[in-house]
Amino acid sequence: MSEQTVHRLVALAVFLIPLTVFLLTMAPTLVFWDSGEFIATAYILGIPHSPGTPLFTLAGRVFSMLPLPFGAAARVNFFSVLCGSLAVLMGYLIAVTTLRFMYPSLRGGLGRFMTYAGPFAGSMYLTFSDTFWRDSTETEVYALNALVMGLCTYLALVWYRNPAGRAERKGAETANRGMRSDEDLVERGRSRGLVYLIIYLLALGIGFHLGTVIVYGGIFLLFLLVREKAFKNAEIIIYTFGFAVILADMTMHRNSAVTAVGLLVFAALIAWSTARNGRFALAGAGLLALGISVHLFMYIRSHLDPGIDMVDPETWKAMYAHLRREQYPPINVFARKASLLRQIGHFGRYFGNQFRMAGDAFLGPVNLGAALTAIPVALGFWGIAANYQRERKLWALNFTNLFLNSVGLIVFLNFSSTEVRERDYFYGAAFYFFAIFIGIGVTSILVMAAEWAEEKGKKAAVRVAPIGALCLFLSILPAHHNWFTHDRSQFYVAHDYGYDLLAGLEPDAIIFTNGDNDTYPLWYIQNVEHFRTDVSVVNLSLLRTDWYIEQLRDRDPKLPIRLTDEEIERMEPVPLKGGGIAWKHDLMVQHIIREADWKRPVYFATTVPLDTWKPYGRHLEMEGMARRLVLREGDNLISEFLLERNFDEISAGWRSRSASIRPSRRPTRFSARTTC
């Protein structure tokens, strides 16, 4: 069997194993946080939260229409399954290609085993790692993010094989050095073409997650380190300057004048480079603009008023604000929200959970289960050292990607010590590249074992085979440890929460919700399953924004808001007599309740903070998963009749849905029905 055939078979296995695992553990419907919003916007071609992720929405829509034996939500979840599996394959290819540069003399059966065993082990550690496994079984952007980052890194390695774009010559063919053959032109075009493809993919990557472009740091450094290539350093530096101007505008500042000046300088540099060096920088700028142009989808689609239309980017100004994430405060790396040591500690905790191979098992004060994690961690650091020793240019590529996605993001993201949720998913790319180093580390150890055996006059296979088998065995232990916590095949809690909350409301109800987890399930149920579309869902977090208030006023089911655009824009916080402040969303809650005038039932979800519903507390009656505004007054009002009715109707609906959307073999599970 040829080496190419072996390589392809192992690569196929590396793809099929995670594909099978992720399919078996994939969520059948939405999960909490952004999943419900992304599924719903993909299904209706809506506009999700900033910066809009238009490419992810379009791709999700394609998958929602595929003739697969799943529901709409599961079909979009399958998009992450496929991206995650392909990302594992890309990681394997990165490790194999790097190792071939590091150890070009590995040949024969044993050489193949050493070359492929390490990357295979690294791929398994990645597949069963905590964050990556979870991201690959739900509708989120991070599996696609990993795929594009891995693909671009692999393309950079392919480019590195022939960066100057020179055709191979034999013997007398090398005599005519002064003449550029047709083969040279073709190879030169291929070399540049790979760079153009990387530029375009990363520009497209902005359309689903800005973090994708971080991988350009390592690729750019590799471009600079290679002396002979099909373009000049000045050309790639000029392109990178323009790329940085755009990224800085989207993330680090709100000064449009600075961006305008930067783009003018970029245009001048492009003109100078084109006249002096050729069209490489100009082509790169064109591909960057072409990739970013996918965001025009938001401008076009928003004019059709989809059911979810975040920031309402119908104008160029609004779309620009959406791209720049003006809904959120700008990132300031200098005003630390927590000490750097604390932030590093948070990352360390996430990192320690990634490749855990066993549960807690204490021997005195020592947690042996946690201690076993030192094995893959040591393999990864060994891989970093071996890569540096054997092939420093590729070490610069791989390690820069790891460094920027770990230490770089710790500094840049500047997380506080009171984040609303775990933030490990932001560091998913760091864990991805570390798994690649684990694969490199395993092969490096196998090569050392073979060399040591040969020095002792023994057969290398006798030493290499058992060590390789042990490393392969250890790489699948995280599957056993993480399967229970990552198997979402029976996870319906988020779906049931949304359905149960809506089912208990009276017709044409208005319900105030607090944030992502009590709003996105309702949006999913209404927009994808078309259930209780008569209910107006009012998100208190978004009620602080003008565009959202205007949408609630103007779009069906319309809310009784008697304010003009100018009055909404001029609305200011009001000091209260007893102390405190009535913020914009508080004033709007009061306005909506007053204008509803008991013609539409008004509810507060039980997840709404006390400060918001306390002014109406003596007129709120518990009816299950929501408090209803009623005329009668009292403390801790409860409608036992409606509690019982809602429980019976929701339970009956749940049993009916169970037969249609759930497998018949279902474990006993907790499902929140009525919360009192």
Side-chain angles (χ1 to χ4, degrees), residues 66-99:
L66 294 179
L68 298 173
F70 314 131
R75 290 197 290 269
V76 185
N77 287 342
F78 177 71
F79 178 45
S80 290
V81 168
L82 183 60
C83 289
S85 305
L86 290 170
V88 174
L89 175 60
M90 289 299 110
Y92 166 82
L93 294 176
I94 292 168
V96 169
T97 307
T98 301
L99 287 166

Side-chain angles (χ1 to χ4, degrees), residues 177-197:
R177 294 182 180 180
M179 298 180 63
R180 181 176 296 174
S181 66
D182 292 340
E183 290 83 0
D184 280 331
L185 292 175
V186 170
E187 290 301 320
R188 186 177 177 84
R190 287 177 180 173
S191 178
R192 284 193 168 199
L194 286 169
V195 179
Y196 290 149
L197 180 56

Side-chain angles (χ1 to χ4, degrees), residues 157-474:
L157 290 170
V158 175
W159 170 84
Y160 184 64
R161 293 171 181 167
N162 187 12
R166 290 179 177 174
E168 294 185 5
R169 294 183 175 86
K170 297 180 181 179
E173 295 182 15
T174 61
N176 298 325
R177 294 182 180 180
M179 298 180 63
R180 181 176 296 174
S181 66
D182 292 340
E183 290 83 0
D184 280 331
L185 292 175
V186 170
E187 290 301 320
R188 186 177 177 84
R190 287 177 180 173
S191 178
R192 284 193 168 199
L194 286 169
V195 179
Y196 290 149
L197 180 56
I198 292 170
I199 289 172
Y200 180 62
L201 287 173
L202 291 179
L204 282 177
I206 298 174
F208 57 83
H209 194 265
L210 276 170
T212 307
V213 303
I214 297 175
V215 78
Y216 183 70
I219 295 172
F220 174 64
L221 184 57
L222 179 66
F223 289 159
L224 295 182
L225 290 175
V226 175
R227 292 184 178 181
E228 295 186 20
K229 46 186 175 282
F231 52 87
K232 296 181 179 179
N233 280 345
E235 294 177 290
I236 196 65
I237 290 173
I238 288 171
Y239 164 77
T240 303
F241 170 78
F243 195 25
V245 168
I246 293 172
L247 294 179
D249 182 74
M250 290 182 174
T251 55
M252 297 193 68
H253 67 83
R254 297 286 185 266
N255 193 330
S256 300
V258 172
T259 302
V261 171
L263 291 177
L264 287 174
V265 173
F266 180 47
L269 290 173
I270 288 289
W272 172 83
S273 178
T274 302
R276 184 181 179 88
N277 301 315
R279 293 177 293 180
F280 177 85
L282 178 63
L287 289 170
L288 174 62
L290 183 63
I292 294 177
S293 69
V294 71
H295 289 84
L296 292 174
F297 159 80
M298 298 191 299
Y299 178 79
I300 297 169
R301 181 60 179 161
S302 183
H303 279 82
L304 299 176
D305 297 338
I308 302 173
D309 191 11
M310 290 284 214
V311 190
D312 196 17
E314 292 186 6
T315 65
W316 293 111
K317 181 180 179 180
M319 190 177 77
Y320 186 41
H322 204 20
L323 283 171
R324 301 174 87 194
R325 298 165 50 89
E326 291 184 8
Q327 183 177 334
Y328 311 106
I331 293 173
N332 186 344
V333 299
F334 301 106
R336 305 308 297 173
K337 298 178 182 178
S339 70
L340 186 58
L341 286 178
R342 187 183 184 92
Q343 293 170 337
I344 293 172
H346 280 165
F347 172 82
R349 178 166 59 86
Y350 297 144
F351 181 73
N353 290 334
Q354 293 309 306
F355 311 110
R356 187 81 179 262
M357 297 187 292
D360 294 334
F362 288 90
L363 180 63
V366 179
N367 187 340
L368 296 179
L372 283 175
T373 308
I375 296 174
V377 171
L379 289 171
F381 280 107
W382 187 270
I384 293 172
N387 194 176
Y388 177 80
Q389 183 181 16
R390 305 283 304 201
E391 176 51 73
R392 294 190 179 181
K393 288 187 178 67
L394 296 190
W395 174 85
L397 167 68
N398 294 326
F399 184 75
T400 301
N401 287 339
L402 172 62
F403 181 83
L404 292 178
N405 283 285
S406 54
V407 177
L409 284 183
I410 291 171
V411 175
F412 180 75
L413 294 175
N414 192 17
F415 287 133
S416 71
S417 57
T418 57
E419 293 292 318
V420 297
R421 61 179 293 194
E422 297 290 357
R423 298 299 189 182
D424 58 301
Y425 53 91
F426 278 108
Y427 302 115
F431 310 142
Y432 179 85
F433 285 105
F434 191 81
I436 293 172
F437 277 120
I438 291 176
I440 294 172
V442 170
T443 293
S444 299
I445 288 176
L446 295 181
V447 172
M448 285 183 60
E451 292 174 348
W452 181 81
E454 290 174 355
E455 289 176 2
K456 297 294 183 180
K458 299 178 181 180
K459 290 186 177 180
V462 175
R463 298 290 184 183
V464 170
I467 297 175
L470 177 62
C471 290
L472 292 173
F473 171 74
L474 292 175

